[in-house]
Amino acid sequence: MSAPPVPDAPSPFDASWRQEVGAGLDAHGMALIDQAVTWAIPRFEGQQALTGEPLASHGAGVVRILAALHTDAATRAAALLAALPTDLMAPAPALRNDPVAVAFGAEVARLVQGTRALLRLGVVARQASDAEAESGSQKEMQRKMLLAMAADLRIVLMRLASRLRTLRWHAESKAPCSTAFARETLDLYAPLANRLGIWQIKWEMEDLAFRFLEPDRYKQIARLLEEKRVEREAFIAGAIDRLQTALSKSGIEAEVSGRPKHIYSIWNKMRVKRLDFTQMYDLRALRIIVEDVRACYTALGLVHEMWTPLSDEFDDYISRPKPNGYRSLHTVVTDDDGRPFEVQIRTREMHQFAEYGMAAHWRYKEAGAKGGQVAASSEYDRQLAWMRQLLAWNSDVEGGAEPEGGGAKPDAAKAGPTRSGPGKNRNVVTAPTHTDERIYVLTPQARVIELPAGATPVDFAYHLHTDLGHRCRGARVDGQMVPLQTRLSTGQTVEIISAKSGGPSRDWLNPQLGFLASPRARAKVRMWFNAIELQQRITQGQALVEKELQRLGKTAVNLEQLAQNLGFARADDLYVAAAKEEFSLRQIDSVFQQPGPAVEPQPAALRHASAGSAEKSGKSGVLVVGVGSLLTQLARCCRPAPPDAIVGFVTRGRGVSIHRCDCHSYLALAAREPERVIEVAWGETSDTFYPVDISVRAHDRPGLLRDLSEVFARLRLNVVGVNTQSKQSLAHMVFTVEVRGGESLARALDALAEVAGVSSASRR
């Protein structure tokens, strides 16, 4: 049963207001509204907002706006209660202690608390002293923060409606509106309404804010529009009838509508595209929505038959979509008097995608001169598209229309949980779960910082500056001291308490202790300790090198030059190698020895082939498949050794030559005479040594060949040949070494690669 009107209500809550705000609500919804009015009236007590607007009038106006958006009764009641005077800086009470929750239930109380949290964010941002807080990126971050704080989308709608009501009051009362307030509307609230697809709020906000920011320009454009308004509206109505008739005769089902142009939109386009008012082709504009692509082009043909097209003003975004996926036909035609107007033609699917999809209208509007070249692919964009689709679905349900496609309604229902509420529309629009992946907190100067969910004050400090993170010793959150492991929440203000010097604690790297949630911050802590460890190694290695120089009696030495002579880029690299025992200090003595002819180590390094060598004994250990006692020899071009994959090639008078399968010489022979290729395999090879070529490339330095020879001696490998070349301080050496198999060869390559100055060691 519907509750009677409130007889003693002041003028903002009269019978006409009650009828308007009760549109679409059932008896339970109206009862909730009446209860909120009765509860709020004595608490308003003539209170005024900072702007001078009576709070009772503000609350009544906000509820009117929300009723036009088909919101539920809980939202309308919460908007009225949120207008009551309160201390925004005081922490929100627990629901069990909240008078609103006691009187109206937890749902309404959460909406009121969420709205006041957004109001607090606005107050803190307006008090900002950080210049970066006014930058474009910070405005975008504030929009994200505003959405993240509103887990229930209805809170955002309430905030937008409140801002619009304040703008309307300034316009109605002619009370001066501050430029900061109007600028904040254009920078923060109008783009947010645009992204959510709430066009009526977005357009009105922009026009009113523009009116207060640029009053002369606003009046100029308004006067130009007013001069043509009646004529323009008459033309649009006539063009719609004419076009609708032509489409019907052609058998095309279509929706034709006029596309309004608002004052701020006109000015913005004139500014971005540097156009004069007379060059604005889309002051008069039509939009045609048809069923399929074929109908789009048919409708385009009809439009061009009825009116003369301007060839330079035609864009086919169906065959050539914009980079963000936007598709539509745009054409400009002239009427019988030669005046241009714009026509857009698209399918219903294209229209839905342009309005709600990733190529949403806001992207190419806010991109400015970039047009549609800004892609909407981030998680934040997908969240906005989801919200806008749900808003449109709620509007359809409120208006009694069935969603198209049958499956749209269940999908939307899955996206946002449904709760019982006092009004007819009981669909609670909640943000998708992925919003919890990021949080948005404030610096004391109201700069918004984006952090991963679960971030702590230490993460916050490292995000601001690496040095501040290293020196972080405590934190205040919303003015209260908290432990460094405290998990931050969206909307909190964080202040770091730091020491004058010092570094991080190793405990911060322990995931069980919960000091860090950001991989970026964790990497910075690791880099700190790695740098400390490196400095310790440098100090330790420098002491070892200087001690060795003292032993040699060479204390007056340029250490940087010494390091370069030993194959290191810097002295610090030499110290680290010495501390890690990767460099023998005995090599320092070789730098001070003058090289002479007798010092050349090559003859001393060479030895005769061992008795078990395959070359000396003639026993290769290779079996020719299917043939016995056949002479075989190992090819010198590739020097095969077990366990290499091998193949035989029958020579003229020298038996079978054994090659590695990847040998270039063999591949050339086999391509020329494939009939000589024969299958072979390794037989008993345990007692045989096989010569292999090892290629070593290194930075040339005194004693390099000696150090390499020491490696072979330590591994007990017989070097039977060496060939060296040196050019521009780079040395290339090829050693022929006898090995038993692949294992001893691998050990030799690893050991050679560790010699100071060696850049590569590989099998030739």
Side-chain angles (χ1 to χ4, degrees), residues 36 53 60 69 77 100 110 118 210 215 222 231 233 242 244 269 303 368 382 388 411 432 437 480 596 602 620 654:
E53 179 185 11
L69 293 176
V100 175
R110 288 193 186 95
L118 296 189
F210 179 55
E231 178 186 349
E233 290 177 353
R242 185 178 171 189
Q244 194 78 62
K269 188 166 186 177
V303 171
R382 284 191 284 274
R388 289 175 59 179
D411 288 345
E437 294 177 2
Q480 302 294 321
Q602 179 171 334
S620 64
R654 290 183 291 111

Side-chain angles (χ1 to χ4, degrees), residues 270-588:
M270 291 169 60
R271 178 179 59 86
V272 171
K273 297 193 174 183
R274 297 175 181 174
L275 300 174
D276 188 71
F277 186 82
T278 57
Q279 297 175 291
M280 295 290 290
Y281 292 151
D282 53 352
L283 292 178
R284 302 181 303 166
L286 299 176
R287 176 175 290 153
I288 305 172
I289 299 178
V290 296
E291 294 299 324
D292 53 37
V293 173
R294 176 179 292 183
C296 286
Y297 289 99
T298 305
L300 177 67
L302 286 174
V303 171
H304 285 178
E305 284 180 12
M306 297 168 65
W307 296 287
T308 304
L310 298 180
S311 57
D312 293 340
E313 298 295 334
F314 172 69
D315 293 301
D316 185 352
Y317 294 123
I318 293 180
S319 61
R320 295 184 301 277
K322 290 188 177 184
N324 60 11
Y326 173 84
R327 302 174 70 205
S328 185
L329 295 177
H330 292 192
T331 186
V332 176
V333 295
T334 58
D335 61 12
D336 298 335
D337 296 327
R339 294 171 300 181
F341 65 96
E342 184 186 59
V343 181
Q344 291 184 359
I345 308 171
R346 59 176 67 148
T347 66
R348 200 174 306 279
E349 181 182 359
M350 293 173 192
H351 182 66
Q352 289 288 74
F353 187 81
E355 293 296 308
Y356 305 116
M358 293 309 160
H361 188 68
W362 62 268
R363 263 304 186 194
Y364 69 85
K365 283 297 182 187
E366 291 177 20
K370 294 182 180 179
Q373 297 177 5
V374 180
S377 58
S378 70
E379 199 71 14
Y380 173 55
D381 300 331
R382 284 191 284 274
Q383 173 186 349
L384 291 168
W386 180 91
M387 287 179 169
R388 289 175 59 179
Q389 288 171 335
L390 207 50
L391 267 177
W393 173 67
N394 276 355
S395 180
D396 288 342
V397 172
E398 191 67 52
E402 282 294 320
E404 293 179 10
K409 185 173 180 178
D411 288 345
K414 290 176 185 176
T418 302
R419 303 177 188 172
S420 298
K424 179 181 177 181
N425 182 359
R426 305 188 181 194
N427 300 301
V428 177
V429 186
T430 56
T433 56
H434 59 250
T435 57
D436 296 332
E437 294 177 2
R438 310 296 292 176
I439 63 170
Y440 303 89
V441 295
L442 295 165
T443 67
Q445 297 79 27
R447 178 182 166 199
V448 181
I449 304 298
E450 183 178 16
L451 296 171
T456 66
V458 184
D459 291 301
F460 175 84
Y462 273 109
H463 185 95
L464 292 179
H465 196 280
T466 302
D467 184 59
L468 180 63
H470 292 335
R471 295 184 290 108
C472 175
R473 295 296 179 268
R476 290 189 184 94
V477 175
D478 292 335
Q480 302 294 321
M481 289 293 298
V482 297
L484 290 180
Q485 300 101 315
T486 302
R487 291 195 170 194
L488 302 176
S489 301
T490 292
Q492 292 179 326
T493 299
V494 185
E495 180 184 358
I496 298 300
I497 300 171
S498 60
K500 291 185 178 180
S501 61
S505 166
R506 286 195 180 272
D507 289 342
W508 293 0
L509 292 174
N510 188 338
Q512 280 75 31
L513 298 179
F515 281 99
L516 293 170
S518 166
R520 182 168 172 258
R522 196 174 291 113
K524 289 183 176 182
V525 175
R526 286 198 192 96
M527 288 175 63
W528 165 275
F529 288 110
N530 289 342
I532 294 296
E533 182 180 352
L534 177 63
Q535 189 57 48
Q536 291 173 346
R537 287 188 182 278
I538 290 174
T539 302
Q540 179 185 357
Q542 184 175 6
L544 292 173
V545 171
E546 290 176 350
K547 183 177 180 181
E548 178 66 15
L549 290 173
Q550 288 177 357
R551 188 185 68 82
L552 296 173
K554 305 289 185 181
T555 53
V557 174
N558 186 323
L559 295 176
E560 291 291 340
Q561 186 63 44
L562 174 65
Q564 292 176 10
N565 291 339
L566 290 170
F568 295 95
R570 300 177 305 150
D572 286 353
D573 297 336
L574 169 62
Y575 301 152
V576 172
K580 295 170 68 174
E581 298 183 353
E582 294 175 349
F583 168 77
S584 175
L585 294 174
R586 291 182 300 166
Q587 298 180 34
I588 295 177

Side-chain angles (χ1 to χ4, degrees), residues 614-688:
E615 284 191 341
K616 187 173 183 179
S617 66
K619 298 178 181 180
S620 64
V622 176
L623 302 177
V624 180
V625 178
V627 182
S629 301
L630 194 61
L631 176 64
T632 61
Q633 60 179 352
L634 301 178
R636 292 179 178 270
C637 55
C638 57
R639 294 194 183 276
D644 293 338
I646 55 175
V647 67
F649 186 83
V650 179
T651 65
R652 290 184 173 87
R654 290 183 291 111
V656 178
S657 178
I658 308 302
H659 296 263
R660 299 201 327 242
C661 288
D662 58 354
C663 175
H664 295 291
S665 299
Y666 159 72
L667 294 175
L669 292 171
R672 191 167 59 247
E673 298 179 279
E675 68 278 2
R676 291 179 176 271
V677 176
I678 189 170
E679 187 178 351
V680 297
W682 294 109
E684 178 57 43
T685 61
S686 58
D687 296 331
T688 306

